[in-house]
Amino acid sequence: MKPTTLTRFLIEQQREPNSACPAELRLLIETVARACKVIAQAISKGALGDVLGSLGSENVQGEVQKKLDVIANDLLVDANEWGGHLAAMASEEMETIHRIPGRYPKGEYLLLYDPIDGSSNIDVDLSVGTIFSVFKAPEGASGREVTEADFLQKGSEQVAAGYAIYGPQTMLVLTIGTGVYEFTLDREVGAWRMTDGPLRIASGNPEVAINMARRSQWSPGIARYIDERVGCVDGPLAGQYNMRWTGSMVADVHRILKRGGVFLYPSDHTKPGKARLRLLYEANPMAMLIEQAGGAATDGRERILDVEAIGLHQRVGVVLGDPEEVAKVRELSLAMDVRE
Ligand code: P6P
C-alpha cells in the first residue's frame, strides 16, 4: 500500500473513469473528516475541556444527551451547511431534518450521522465514534424544499459511508463503494494518513459481540446460536468463542473489520418492531462498510441494505461481520423463529 493521505486518495478516486467520487462528494467527505478532527480534539481534552457529563436534556430517542453529543452535532452542522455540497442533513441528535439556510447554496447530497456513537463511554475514557452515511438527493430536490421523505432511501443507495473512531488512535474508516480504507490521524501535521486498505474481514475468528443482559429479548434462533458458540449447549456450532462488548458500535465494528468475528444487536423478539440500533445512521453505513469488506449484514434474516426506510429514526435488529457466522444466525432463525 503506497503512502498516501485522505485528500490524495479522494483526488485519485475522483480521476478514475466513471468515478465513484465526484468533486462535490470529495468536498463533503473532506469536510466531515475535518469536523471529526475537531471532535477528536474536544474529546481528548476530557475534563480539562469541560466537555464531559450530561446536559440534563434528552434527545429525540429519549436518551440522556451528553455535552459532547450536542457539541459534535453542532460542529458537523456548522462545518457542512455553508459548503454548497449538501441538500440537507439529518442526525441522531436532531428530531427533524436540518435544511440548508437560504443564505447558502444547496448541493446534491444528503448527509446522515450519529455525531457521537457510544457517548455513554465518554465519561469513562472508552472509545466512541462518529458514524456517517451519504445519499444523493432525489432528482430536483435541490430546486425545492427538501423533506424527510427524501432521506428514506434503501441503504443500497448510499454513495459513501464511514466512521471516525476516537480511541487510542483517532482513525477514519471510509468507503465510496470501491473498498474500505483506513486513515490514521497524524496529529503532528493534522493529516489523515492511509494506514490500511482495502480491508477484508478475516473468516473464522471466534469472537462474538452481543449484550448478554438482553438475553430475555432474543429469539430462540439467536439464543441457540449464542449458546452453541459459547459452549453452553452441544450442537453443530459448538465452539469456545470469546466475547467482546464495548457498548460502542463503532469500536465493535472496527474490531470486526480488522480481525473478524460477528456483532449482534437483535431486535426484541418479545416486542415486535422494538430494536436498539438506528437504521439510517448506524445500521446502513456499517452494513455498507461490512459488505464492502467482504462481510454480511442482516436484521437477523434479511440484508440490512434492502430494508425499506419508513422513518428518520427507525430502528432495526443487526447481525453483521463474518459472512459464515451471519449465515449461521439466519439458518437458525429460519429454523426456530416465528417471524413477527
Ligand atoms: P447497550 C450506543 O448507545 C449504541 O447505540 C451502540 O453504539 C452500541 O452498540 C449499543 O448502543 C450499546 O447498547 O444496550 O449495550 O447499552
Side-chain angles (χ1 to χ4, degrees), residues 63 92 114 117-120 131 211 214 245-250 252 263 265 276-278 282:
E63 295 165 342
E92 179 189 71
D114 181 355
D117 171 64
S119 55
S120 61
I131 308 172
N211 181 343
R214 303 281 179 270
W245 187 251
T246 70
S248 168
M249 187 184 195
V250 171
D252 287 319
F263 170 99
Y265 211 122
R276 166 81 182 179
L277 300 176
R278 275 60 54 135
E282 288 176 324

Side-chain angles (χ1 to χ4, degrees), residues 18 38 89 119 161 166-167 195 219 224 231 244 247:
N18 305 317
V38 180
M89 311 164 75
S119 55
Y166 313 109
T195 43
S219 69
R224 179 70 190 216
R244 288 282 183 277

Side-chain angles (χ1 to χ4, degrees), residues 162-229:
Y163 60 80
I165 177 167
Y166 313 109
Q169 299 95 47
T170 294
M171 291 185 175
L172 185 79
V173 175
L174 169 72
T175 185
I176 55 173
T178 61
V180 180
Y181 292 87
E182 172 201 282
F183 302 84
T184 300
L185 180 60
D186 177 345
R187 291 179 184 274
E188 290 173 2
V189 295
W192 292 102
R193 296 198 185 286
M194 186 182 285
T195 43
D196 202 353
L199 298 183
R200 301 300 293 173
I201 291 181
S203 66
N205 177 29
E207 283 185 327
V208 61
I210 192 167
N211 181 343
M212 294 295 276
R214 303 281 179 270
R215 185 183 179 86
S216 62
Q217 299 171 7
W218 299 347
S219 69
I222 294 287
R224 179 70 190 216
Y225 171 78
I226 295 296
D227 288 348
E228 289 186 1
R229 272 288 175 256

